[in-house]
């Protein structure tokens, strides 16, 4: 059987942590369904659209981009309507806006270099656009810190789980990670025990972050576990 342990809302949690946005951090702590809340607040048709909207905005999407994106064409919003949604997002999560502005300012002041808490750093430079103007790559500047730190957090969970699995002596094959998921192939009778180990490994990440990165990660990490005979037929598994 395959066990798929998905870190819940990884990118949003990381964005809340790195930005320090008080509203989003509290929503993460309270485990509210912020996608459902924002669907209503932003006037979007469904939760999936709200989820896609937030992820794309965290990675630098623009009103023009939403208006021309095939994922959002059915919403029927034009550029001005999407800009109002973006403005409402930044009104609610003002800390995200300040953080996005700070990332750009850091690039300008620090020779294009941004470092994240795990020690990974990125170097950006202005690029010439179609009109011959040099512009900072805003999408990458907003995207890379979230994706990079998220990947490093999943690495901590992966190492912790592999240690637990080796110590247990259980007959299981750790298939490493697929984006923000830990995947294990094992016998059906071992699914519960290994699922508990996976859950504990993900929840240990904030402490591991302090231990290995010397960074005080202030938010909880949780996971969703699914089990099935293959990736197509996975079903939610409670532990």
């Amino acid at each position: 059987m395959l066990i798929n342990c998905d870190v819940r809302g990884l990118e949003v949690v990381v964005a809340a942590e790195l930005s320090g946005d008080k509203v989003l951090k509290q929503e993460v702590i309270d485990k509210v369904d912020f996608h459902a809340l924002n669907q209503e607040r932003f006037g979007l048709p469904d939760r999936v659209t709200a989820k896609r909207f937030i992820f794309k905005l965290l990675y630098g999407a623009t009103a023009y981009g939403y208006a021309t994106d095939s994922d959002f064409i059915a919403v029927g919003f034009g550029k001005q309507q999407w800009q109002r949604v973006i403005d409402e997002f930044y009104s609610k999560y003002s800390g995200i806006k300040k953080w996005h502005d700070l990332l750009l300012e850091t690039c300008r002041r620090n020779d294009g270099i941004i470092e994240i808490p795990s020690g990974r750093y990125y170097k950006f430079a202005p690029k010439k656009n179609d009109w011959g103007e040099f512009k900072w790559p805003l999408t990458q500047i907003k995207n890379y810190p979230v994706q990079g730190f998220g990947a490093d957090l999943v690495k901590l969970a992966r190492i912790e789980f592999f240690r637990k699995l080796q110590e247990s002596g259980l007959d299981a094959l750790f298939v490493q990670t697929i984006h923000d998921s830990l995947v294990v192939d094992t016998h059906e009778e071992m699914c519960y025990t290994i699922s508990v180990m996976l859950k504990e490994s993900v929840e240990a990440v904030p402490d591991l972050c302090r231990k290995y990165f010397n960074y005080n990660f202030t938010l909880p990490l949780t996971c969703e576990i699914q089990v099935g005979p293959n990736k197509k037929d996975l079903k939610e598994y409670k532990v």
Side-chain angles (χ1 to χ4, degrees):
M1 298 289 282
L2 285 182
I3 306 175
N4 187 84
C5 174
D6 181 72
V7 181
R8 196 185 301 272
L10 178 64
E11 290 89 349
V12 174
V13 175
V14 170
E17 173 68 34
L18 294 180
S19 69
D21 184 274
K22 293 180 180 179
V23 174
L24 189 54
K25 288 183 72 173
Q26 194 60 51
E27 289 180 345
V28 171
I29 292 170
D30 293 341
K31 299 181 180 179
V32 303
D33 188 344
F34 37 76
H35 297 310
L37 287 176
N38 290 329
Q39 172 201 342
E40 181 177 356
R41 177 161 180 165
F42 302 154
L44 298 172
D46 52 59
R47 184 183 181 279
V48 173
T49 300
K51 182 177 180 179
R52 288 174 176 169
F53 163 75
I54 290 177
F55 283 136
K56 286 180 180 288
L57 189 61
L58 289 176
Y59 300 151
T62 63
Y64 174 79
Y66 287 116
T68 56
D69 191 321
S70 59
D71 285 338
F72 296 92
I73 291 295
V75 177
F77 287 2
K79 182 179 176 181
Q80 290 184 339
Q81 288 172 294
W82 277 116
Q83 187 58 55
R84 284 197 291 270
V85 176
I86 292 172
D87 292 343
E88 181 64 21
F89 175 90
Y90 281 135
S91 175
K92 179 182 179 181
Y93 302 115
S94 59
I96 297 288
K97 179 65 168 65
K98 292 176 182 177
W99 177 56
H100 281 169
D101 292 342
L102 178 61
L103 288 173
L104 178 57
E105 185 61 26
T106 300
C107 282
R108 288 171 172 163
R109 292 183 177 183
N110 199 32
D111 196 29
I113 295 175
I114 291 177
E115 185 174 357
I116 58 177
S118 58
R120 185 195 297 265
Y121 71 90
Y122 303 98
K123 184 173 177 61
F124 304 98
K127 297 180 180 180
K128 185 182 291 187
N129 63 20
D130 295 338
W131 297 273
E133 303 168 319
F134 281 92
K135 298 287 186 180
W136 288 96
L138 293 179
T139 299
Q140 294 177 5
I141 289 170
K142 295 174 182 179
N143 186 345
Y144 286 17
V146 174
Q147 293 279 18
F149 195 35
D152 290 337
L153 296 177
V154 175
K155 287 179 183 177
L156 292 179
R158 180 174 67 198
I159 293 169
E160 177 69 3
F161 171 74
F162 188 60
R163 180 188 66 78
K164 287 177 176 291
L165 182 62
Q166 284 188 312
E167 290 178 353
S168 73
L170 295 175
D171 184 14
L173 176 64
F174 187 21
V175 195
Q176 300 291 358
T177 55
I178 300 175
H179 187 47
D180 54 2
S181 296
L182 307 180
V183 182
V184 180
D185 191 354
T186 189
H187 304 288
E188 186 171 1
E189 62 270 19
M190 297 181 186
C191 284
Y192 182 81
T193 300
I194 290 178
S195 294
V196 170
M197 291 165 54
L198 286 165
K199 181 175 182 288
E200 291 175 345
S201 299
V202 170
E203 292 176 348
V205 167
D207 288 335
L208 297 172
C209 198
R210 284 186 283 271
K211 179 179 179 180
Y212 292 108
F213 299 152
N214 194 29
Y215 176 79
N216 183 32
F217 197 93
T218 61
L219 295 173
L221 278 185
T222 58
C223 62
E224 177 185 7
I225 295 178
Q226 296 175 307
V227 173
N230 52 61
K231 289 290 286 184
K232 178 178 178 293
D233 297 312
L234 293 174
K235 294 183 179 180
E236 185 176 2
Y237 191 80
K238 296 291 186 180
V239 294

